Amino acid sequence: VGCSASDAYCFAYLHKTVGIPWISISIMIQALPSTIVCDTTIPWEIIMDNTAVRMGGELKFPSLNFLRQRLQVSPKDVHYMITTHSRLGLYEVETNIKPTLDDIQLHLGLSCTELRNLASGMPSLIGMKTSGSDCALFRRLSFYQKDVGMSLEQIRSAVTKQPSLFQYSVEDNLRPKLSFFTQELKIEKSRLAKMIQNSPALFGLSLQRNLRPKVEAIMDYCCLTAEQVGEIVSTSPSILSLSITRKIVPTLQFIETALDCTSNDAELGTIILKAPRLLLHSVETSLSRKINLLEEALLREKTIIFAAESNSAMNVGDDIRASAAMVLKRNPALLLQSCEILKNRLSRILEKTEKSSTASSSLELSLLPSRKGRESSIKLRNIQVALDSGEANKHVFRKINKKNCNSSKKATNSTHSFDLTSESKGSDDIMTVTLLVLGRVYSEEPNSIRGVRKSEGIAISILEQTVTDHLADLLRSAANACFGSIIPVGLTDFEMGVICVGSSILKPSRRRCDLYACHAGLKICSQLLKNQSDGANKTVIFRIFTDSQYSFDLLKNSIELDKWASKKSLLDFTMSFKKEDNNVQPLHFVNSDLLFPLCQTYQRLVEGKYAAVSVEFLHVSDIGSPFLSNPYYQEFLSNATRTAKDAAFWQFNRAKEANVLKR
């Protein structure tokens, strides 16, 4: 990939005619990389891009050759960089590429290896303006140095981990997040600088759709103030990278139940403040195992005491669980130790108990927190909880109903209560069909390299407890009509309401695959309606769930979809989108080649002659969504995600066998 056709012919001649083994040719290329040159043919991934027209039919060989020499990369890496940032093929060496790379390396103090990783991971940085006092490079560098207070070493460490830090807009993106961390969460700038250095991906998360909902979820569930959550985040920044529905809320629910914090609103917040990293640990493989180890140790200690005092009566069961919960409330850092370390520590304490001449409970005393630990360094502002007496400070925390707090407080316009049945509860003339559509991508190349070849997989699932034979037949007919031979037979299960598709869209990425998955869901809805013989006089409501915030933001407004569908061509759609300033996404994020046909399918569906149709796009994290609190649908979502990944892997192997994708 990426080398010229003449090189391929030459090596094929050496192998077939001269008889040189492929392994020897590979060694020669590694020893003398300059023996191969970059291919100047425009990659097929950007043929439909307007940039290809300005390239004049081929890439600029001097630019490609300079990138190889300056960054010490292979033609394959240059090929991936071009497919990721197609404008790179238009840049001149002396006026664009060379001065930009030199300025980035000079002002950030990067080594050659760090510069190579930076340019390969984010090729669009080569198009950044670096000349002039008000250029993009100096504006962002000034923000991190003066506004955040980061040193050059911290900036270099952060940007090598997250190259996109120098792509974000200062006024529209970075400054609002700085205000959120410093003013709302009250995090000192010195601590924020370390947070960005260690977890730079935080500044790549959306403030309104990601950071703020997670902070609000922890505040509501743990009854904490924003400042107290700031203490948690500054101690363990990676908490904000966790999923609300799959990690944060389930872990808090487990800790609350396992440590019996349901009767006291203050206890759970105190535990998380003492040990914030509990949220990073797995419930199944870490937290539950350590609690079981502690309960077993307490039971063994009671057995020892009972054997020494024959008059006493041995109490087990709830007493053991309550004792374990009390130990962990006093010292939650025990759950941060590895299972092996905790097990050895408990064994040593029990050995001392067995050798003691007098039987007394020493396990609970031995596991009390040490004053030398990190507890003294955490400012537990406005929290004083008497764990032994069970009395909580009632003036600090906001009271909430935890039974109704299973979902995150995610900001969204949707507040519907979702009906997952295909029969209406009020009228026989209304029929509701609910789908879950997921898209995933697969590649054999490392994720750190942009522009690598990927394959896409889609899973479309009907959310029904029981799929009837008639519905399964309808799904089979609809899937065959929409997708034909790109349906993996081994993965698709119509009897379970699951349709898998191996997609072949151009420029595959996770966002594009998610958007195409929504389009595929609309196609299935349209075919289901056509095949429904008695649907002419019914009102049909299609609800399509997605786990992509990107797709949801584009498709949640039906008025916008109708407006976009009214355009006569893709060009009209693109031009109208450029003229409007109030669009939900900038044009280069919209993927108009996928969005426009989706809008047309949407319009044909809702304005068709088959029935009165309503289509609603929903997010799995919406308030009231069953995927937040219902264990059945949570497992349903996990299975559908795995199925979409399997479909992407199936498509990769299928395309590779057909010589469409190459390693």
Side-chain angles (χ1 to χ4, degrees):
V1 177
C3 67
S4 66
S6 60
D7 290 334
Y9 296 147
C10 176
F11 295 135
Y13 173 81
L14 293 176
H15 176 68
K16 290 291 186 181
T17 305
V18 183
I20 300 177
W22 284 118
I23 185 65
S24 300
I25 296 176
S26 177
I27 294 173
M28 180 185 68
I29 294 174
Q30 294 176 11
L32 302 171
S34 59
T35 55
I36 56 177
V37 296
C38 295
D39 188 9
T40 57
T41 305
I42 299 177
W44 64 269
E45 292 93 335
I46 60 175
I47 289 294
M48 299 185 66
D49 197 333
N50 291 333
T51 308
V53 178
R54 298 196 297 271
M55 289 180 181
E58 64 178 14
L59 304 175
K60 295 181 178 180
F61 178 77
S63 299
L64 303 182
N65 192 48
F66 178 81
L67 285 172
R68 279 198 63 194
Q69 296 179 358
R70 181 69 172 83
L71 300 177
Q72 293 295 297
V73 293
S74 66
K76 180 175 70 172
D77 296 328
V78 175
H79 171 83
Y80 290 152
M81 293 171 65
I82 293 291
T83 56
T84 300
H85 184 57
S86 57
R87 293 178 181 271
L88 193 59
L90 297 174
Y91 295 156
E92 297 288 346
V93 174
E94 296 299 330
T95 59
N96 298 108
I97 301 178
K98 185 178 184 301
T100 300
L101 292 177
D102 290 344
D103 288 339
I104 291 175
Q105 185 172 20
L106 174 65
H107 293 293
L108 294 181
L110 301 174
S111 65
C112 292
T113 301
E114 290 171 337
L115 180 65
R116 177 173 64 245
N117 295 336
L118 190 69
S120 300
M122 186 65 64
S124 56
L125 286 177
I126 302 177
M128 180 173 57
K129 291 184 178 180
T130 60
S131 60
S133 58
D134 193 37
C135 65
L137 175 63
F138 289 147
R139 285 200 306 269
R140 292 168 181 128
L141 193 59
S142 175
F143 170 81
Y144 291 117
Q145 287 182 319
K146 297 180 180 179
D147 295 0
V148 182
M150 299 177 67
S151 65
L152 185 60
E153 183 179 355
Q154 289 176 321
I155 297 174
R156 181 168 58 249
S157 175
V159 77
T160 51
K161 297 176 185 176
Q162 187 83 5
S164 57
L165 287 178
F166 271 71
Q167 287 280 289
Y168 304 140
S169 169
V170 173
E171 299 301 329
D172 298 335
N173 194 320
L174 298 177
R175 203 173 298 284
K177 293 175 184 175
L178 174 64
S179 176
F180 172 72
F181 284 115
T182 58
Q183 297 182 18
E184 296 186 35
L185 301 187
K186 305 299 181 183
I187 298 176
E188 298 176 357
K189 288 188 177 181
S190 58
R191 302 181 72 178
L192 181 61
K194 294 180 180 179
M195 288 172 56
I196 299 176
Q197 178 185 5
N198 298 326
S199 300
L202 287 182
F203 264 48
L205 301 177
S206 169
L207 177 58
Q208 300 300 332
R209 299 192 301 266
N210 204 314
L211 296 175
R212 196 181 297 278
K214 290 176 182 177
V215 169
E216 291 176 354
I218 298 175
M219 288 172 58
D220 289 343
Y221 206 89
C222 298
C223 297
L224 298 173
T225 65
E227 189 174 355
Q228 290 160 353
V229 177
E231 290 288 344
I232 294 174
V233 170
S234 61
T235 303
S236 184
S238 52
I239 288 176
L240 292 181
S241 300
L242 303 175
S243 168
I244 297 179
T245 58
R246 299 184 185 180
K247 184 60 181 172
I248 295 178
V249 172
T251 304
L252 290 174
Q253 289 174 339
F254 173 81
I255 296 173
E256 182 185 39
T257 303
L259 303 190
D260 192 22
C261 302
T262 54
S263 60
N264 190 339
D265 291 336
E267 288 182 340
L268 182 59
T270 303
I271 291 171
I272 299 302
L273 273 169
K274 288 182 178 180
R277 291 185 178 86
L278 286 177
L279 294 176
L280 303 176
H281 285 243
S282 168
V283 171
E284 294 80 8
T285 61
S286 179
L287 299 180
S288 60
R289 289 180 59 187
K290 294 167 189 174
I291 293 175
N292 290 336
L293 286 174
L294 181 57
E295 290 178 352
E296 292 172 1
L298 288 170
L299 179 60
R300 182 180 167 188
E301 185 185 54
K302 280 189 174 291
T303 304
I304 296 172
I305 296 175
F306 177 74
E309 300 177 1
S310 56
N311 314 357
S312 62
M314 182 175 176
N315 297 321
V316 294
D318 293 338
D319 187 29
I320 293 295
R321 285 188 287 273
S323 298
M326 183 57 66
V327 169
L328 293 174
K329 287 177 185 179
R330 291 170 174 167
N331 189 9
L334 292 171
L335 293 175
L336 300 179
Q337 300 176 353
S338 68
C339 292
E340 190 66 26
I341 292 177
L342 180 61
K343 183 178 180 180
N344 294 336
R345 182 177 178 181
L346 295 174
S347 299
R348 289 194 299 269
I349 297 173
L350 290 174
E351 288 177 2
K352 293 180 180 179
T353 304
E354 290 178 342
K355 296 177 181 179
S356 177
S357 57
T358 59
S360 60
S361 178
S362 62
L363 194 59
E364 295 184 14
L365 296 176
S366 301
L367 295 178
L368 287 174
S370 171
R371 293 183 179 273
K372 298 179 181 179
R374 65 176 296 276
E375 182 181 2
S376 59
S377 64
I378 297 181
K379 302 174 183 178
L380 303 180
R381 298 184 178 92
N382 298 326
I383 290 187
Q384 294 296 330
V385 180
L387 293 176
D388 294 332
S389 62
E391 297 180 359
N393 186 343
K394 299 181 180 179
H395 302 286
V396 177
F397 301 103
R398 294 171 293 148
K399 294 292 183 180
I400 59 173
N401 184 359
K402 295 248 184 106
K403 293 182 179 179
N404 297 328
C405 192
N406 291 330
S407 64
S408 64
K409 305 293 184 181
K410 183 160 186 172
T412 176
N413 295 331
S414 178
T415 57
H416 302 282
S417 58
F418 300 107
D419 178 16
L420 299 180
T421 64
S422 59
E423 298 178 357
S424 65
K425 295 182 179 180
S427 173
D428 293 335
D429 294 332
I430 300 178
M431 181 173 59
T432 302
V433 180
T434 307
L435 289 79
L436 172 66
V437 295
L438 302 176
R440 294 296 185 269
V441 295
Y442 173 81
S443 173
E444 287 186 343
E445 300 288 347
N447 292 330
S448 59
I449 301 177
R450 288 179 173 262
V452 298
R453 295 285 180 90
K454 299 176 182 178
S455 62
E456 314 83 30
I458 294 172
I460 305 171
S461 306
I462 302 292
L463 272 71
E464 292 288 346
Q465 297 279 1
T466 303
V467 178
T468 62
D469 293 339
H470 176 63
L471 180 56
D473 292 338
L474 289 177
L475 289 175
R476 183 179 291 103
S477 176
N480 290 331
C482 292
F483 309 114
S485 61
I486 59 174
I487 301 176
V489 178
L491 298 176
T492 299
D493 190 344
F494 297 110
E495 284 71 21
M496 295 298 294
V498 178
I499 302 173
C500 290
V501 180
S503 174
S504 300
I505 58 177
L506 289 175
K507 296 184 181 180
S509 67
R510 174 66 186 278
R511 284 185 170 184
R512 288 175 61 82
C513 192
D514 286 327
L515 190 59
Y516 182 73
C518 293
H519 190 186
L522 285 176
K523 290 182 178 179
I524 291 295
C525 292
S526 180
Q527 286 296 327
L528 285 175
L529 207 58
K530 290 180 181 179
N531 298 334
Q532 184 71 19
S533 58
D534 59 345
N537 298 322
K538 289 186 177 181
T539 297
V540 184
I541 301 174
F542 289 109
R543 287 172 173 164
I544 302 178
F545 278 96
T546 176
D547 67 342
S548 169
Q549 189 67 45
Y550 164 78
S551 299
F552 174 71
D553 288 341
L554 281 176
L555 307 177
K556 63 184 179 183
N557 192 332
S558 59
I559 298 177
E560 291 290 336
L561 294 180
D562 290 331
K563 182 183 67 175
W564 295 336
S566 64
K567 305 304 176 183
K568 296 182 179 180
S569 65
L570 177 59
L571 180 61
D572 291 340
F573 169 80
T574 304
M575 295 305 295
S576 65
F577 213 95
K578 286 182 178 180
K579 294 178 182 178
E580 296 185 12
D581 298 328
N582 58 345
N583 286 311
V584 293
Q585 297 278 356
L587 179 61
H588 58 282
F589 284 156
V590 164
N591 293 304
S592 55
D593 60 320
L594 298 179
L595 180 59
F596 180 62
L598 182 151
C599 295
Q600 291 182 314
T601 303
Y602 168 82
Q603 187 181 51
R604 288 193 295 268
L605 178 59
V606 298
E607 297 180 358
K609 61 182 180 180
Y610 305 99
V613 179
S614 172
V615 179
E616 189 175 9
F617 287 95
L618 307 164
H619 197 278
V620 294
S621 297
D622 279 348
I623 297 175
S625 167
F627 298 102
L628 289 177
S629 56
N630 191 316
Y632 171 80
Y633 290 108
Q634 288 176 345
E635 182 66 20
F636 190 96
L637 178 61
S638 299
N639 292 336
T641 302
R642 288 192 293 268
T643 303
K645 292 179 180 178
D646 293 340
F649 182 70
W650 174 87
Q651 173 66 15
F652 184 88
N653 291 329
R654 175 177 178 269
K656 186 169 64 174
E657 291 174 0
N659 292 324
V660 176
L661 289 178
K662 298 182 180 179
R663 293 175 183 264

